[in-house]
Amino acid sequence: MSPDLKYLLFSVILTFVQVVIAAALANQVVGLPTLAGNREGLGELPGMAGRAKRAHLNMVENLVLFAALVLVAAVGGKANAMTAMGAMIFFWARLGYAIVYLIGIPWLRTVLWAASVVGMAIIAWQLL
């Protein structure tokens, strides 16, 4: 398996871990009966539970783009050291983003998000 695809796998695992953390924290805030219901009128979750949910949703949004780039590179025979570096940057920046968002450090979170975008841009540049 290429490094690009390994980092895609790691990113999927990270996304799964994030949803588990978000669900566990939401359960602590509103309880399982509320989460098992229709969630109508649930509103914004406060504190770390809300940050975990937002971090997970942001990861899902970015994972779609990252996965498309990595898969196009793999199928198109364009995967190389640069795409591997872009994938590595994406993954580690997203891991840092998830941790920093949970802790609640806003500007560092933004810097890490930007770093993950740079990782995707590196891959995209190799595809053009």
Side-chain angles (χ1 to χ4, degrees), residues 1-8 10 70 80 83-85 87-88:
M1 182 182 315
S2 71
D4 311 52
L5 291 173
K6 284 182 184 177
Y7 281 111
L8 177 55
F10 296 161
V70 168
N80 58 32
T83 61
M85 182 178 71
M88 179 187 70

Side-chain angles (χ1 to χ4, degrees), residues 62-77:
N62 284 269
L63 183 62
V64 170
L65 302 173
F66 176 67
L69 289 168
V70 168
L71 294 174
V72 167
V75 170

Side-chain angles (χ1 to χ4, degrees), residues 9-35:
L9 173 61
F10 296 161
S11 296
V12 170
I13 293 168
L14 174 60
T15 307
F16 179 74
V17 169
Q18 283 185 270
V19 76
V20 169
I21 291 170
L25 291 171
N27 183 48
Q28 289 180 351
V29 172
V30 298
L32 187 56
T34 300
L35 292 178

Side-chain angles (χ1 to χ4, degrees), residues 17-107:
V17 169
Q18 283 185 270
V19 76
V20 169
I21 291 170
L25 291 171
N27 183 48
Q28 289 180 351
V29 172
V30 298
L32 187 56
T34 300
L35 292 178
N38 291 330
R39 299 185 187 187
E40 293 173 358
L42 181 60
E44 187 82 15
L45 293 170
M48 192 178 280
R51 291 192 304 273
K53 179 180 179 181
R54 291 188 300 275
H56 172 256
L57 292 175
N58 187 271
M59 180 61 176
V60 170
E61 292 169 355
N62 284 269
L63 183 62
V64 170
L65 302 173
F66 176 67
L69 289 168
V70 168
L71 294 174
V72 167
V75 170
K78 300 274 189 163
N80 58 32
M82 289 298 289
T83 61
M85 182 178 71
M88 179 187 70
I89 290 169
F90 176 86
F91 172 75
W92 289 108
R94 293 308 308 194
L95 177 62
Y97 177 93
I99 293 166
V100 165
Y101 206 156
L102 278 176
I103 295 168
I105 306 171
W107 286 102

